[in-house]
């Protein structure tokens, strides 16, 4: 049974940092496309960051560029998201996702690309 389980969420003040981790079981992230999404109340789920090619190229939502870093730990089979300089507008439920494809440079921000999703971890940033 494939499971993606997120952890690391919490409450932090603006300017602080959090590190999210997504642990896969029954599945190996490998070279397939994988991403972090977020969804705030009343808003659509949006792509935050992704690893989009077999050689590990990354893509970021403009709103998090320079603040967030996505990475993969093959030994632990995890997908991580280091979030720095957090802002109140980063408050959302964060989800990890994995795709059955290994190239998603143009499509990474579409939820339709991914067939595996975690249950989410809440991030709350106060001003």
């Amino acid at each position: 049974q494939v499971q993606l389980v997120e952890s690391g969420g919490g409450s932090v003040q603006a300017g602080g940092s959090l590190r999210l981790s997504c642990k896969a079981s029954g599945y190996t992230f490998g070279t397939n496309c994988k991403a972090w999404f977020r969804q705030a109340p009343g808003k659509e789920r949006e792509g935050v960051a992704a690893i989009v090619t077999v050689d590990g190229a990354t893509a970021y939502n403009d709103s998090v560029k320079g603040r967030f870093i996505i990475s993969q730990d093959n030994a632990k089979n995890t997908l991580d998201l280091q979030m720095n300089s957090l802002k109140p507008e980063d408050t959302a439920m964060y989800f990890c996702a994995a795709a059955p494809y290994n190239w998603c440079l143009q499509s990474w921000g579409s939820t339709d690309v991914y067939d595996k999703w975690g249950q989410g971890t809440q991030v709350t940033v106060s001003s």
Side-chain angles (χ1 to χ4, degrees), residues 23 72-78:
K23 174 70 174 175
Q72 178 179 352
D73 187 325
N74 290 326
K76 297 179 180 178
N77 199 25
T78 61

Short mmCIF file of all heavy atoms in Angstrom, two decimals, residues 23 72-78:
data_model
loop_
_atom_site.label_atom_id
_atom_site.label_comp_id
_atom_site.label_asym_id
_atom_site.label_seq_id
_atom_site.Cartn_x
_atom_site.Cartn_y
_atom_site.Cartn_z
N LYS A 23 7.41 11.35 3.98
CA LYS A 23 7.97 10.01 3.97
C LYS A 23 7.09 9.10 3.13
O LYS A 23 5.87 9.02 3.35
CB LYS A 23 8.06 9.48 5.40
CG LYS A 23 8.49 8.03 5.52
CD LYS A 23 9.94 7.83 5.16
CE LYS A 23 10.37 6.41 5.43
NZ LYS A 23 11.78 6.16 4.96
N GLN A 72 15.34 16.13 -2.03
CA GLN A 72 14.97 14.71 -1.93
C GLN A 72 16.09 13.96 -1.24
O GLN A 72 17.27 14.18 -1.56
CB GLN A 72 14.73 14.16 -3.34
CG GLN A 72 14.38 12.70 -3.41
CD GLN A 72 14.15 12.25 -4.85
OE1 GLN A 72 14.11 13.08 -5.76
NE2 GLN A 72 13.99 10.97 -5.07
N ASP A 73 15.75 13.11 -0.30
CA ASP A 73 16.74 12.26 0.37
C ASP A 73 16.47 10.82 -0.04
O ASP A 73 15.52 10.20 0.44
CB ASP A 73 16.64 12.43 1.88
CG ASP A 73 17.75 11.72 2.64
OD1 ASP A 73 18.17 10.63 2.19
OD2 ASP A 73 18.18 12.22 3.69
N ASN A 74 17.27 10.31 -0.95
CA ASN A 74 17.03 8.96 -1.47
C ASN A 74 17.24 7.89 -0.40
O ASN A 74 16.55 6.87 -0.39
CB ASN A 74 17.92 8.70 -2.67
CG ASN A 74 17.52 9.52 -3.88
OD1 ASN A 74 16.33 9.78 -4.09
ND2 ASN A 74 18.49 9.94 -4.67
N ALA A 75 18.18 8.11 0.49
CA ALA A 75 18.46 7.13 1.54
C ALA A 75 17.26 6.96 2.47
O ALA A 75 16.94 5.86 2.90
CB ALA A 75 19.70 7.53 2.32
N LYS A 76 16.61 8.08 2.77
CA LYS A 76 15.44 8.04 3.66
C LYS A 76 14.13 7.92 2.89
O LYS A 76 13.08 7.73 3.49
CB LYS A 76 15.42 9.30 4.52
CG LYS A 76 16.62 9.45 5.47
CD LYS A 76 16.51 10.73 6.26
CE LYS A 76 17.69 10.91 7.22
NZ LYS A 76 17.61 12.18 7.97
N ASN A 77 14.19 8.06 1.57
CA ASN A 77 12.99 8.06 0.73
C ASN A 77 12.01 9.13 1.18
O ASN A 77 10.83 8.87 1.41
CB ASN A 77 12.32 6.68 0.73
CG ASN A 77 11.38 6.48 -0.45
OD1 ASN A 77 11.54 7.13 -1.49
ND2 ASN A 77 10.42 5.59 -0.29
N THR A 78 12.53 10.34 1.32
CA THR A 78 11.71 11.47 1.72
C THR A 78 11.84 12.62 0.72
O THR A 78 12.83 12.74 -0.01
CB THR A 78 12.09 12.01 3.11
OG1 THR A 78 13.45 12.46 3.10
CG2 THR A 78 11.93 10.94 4.19
#
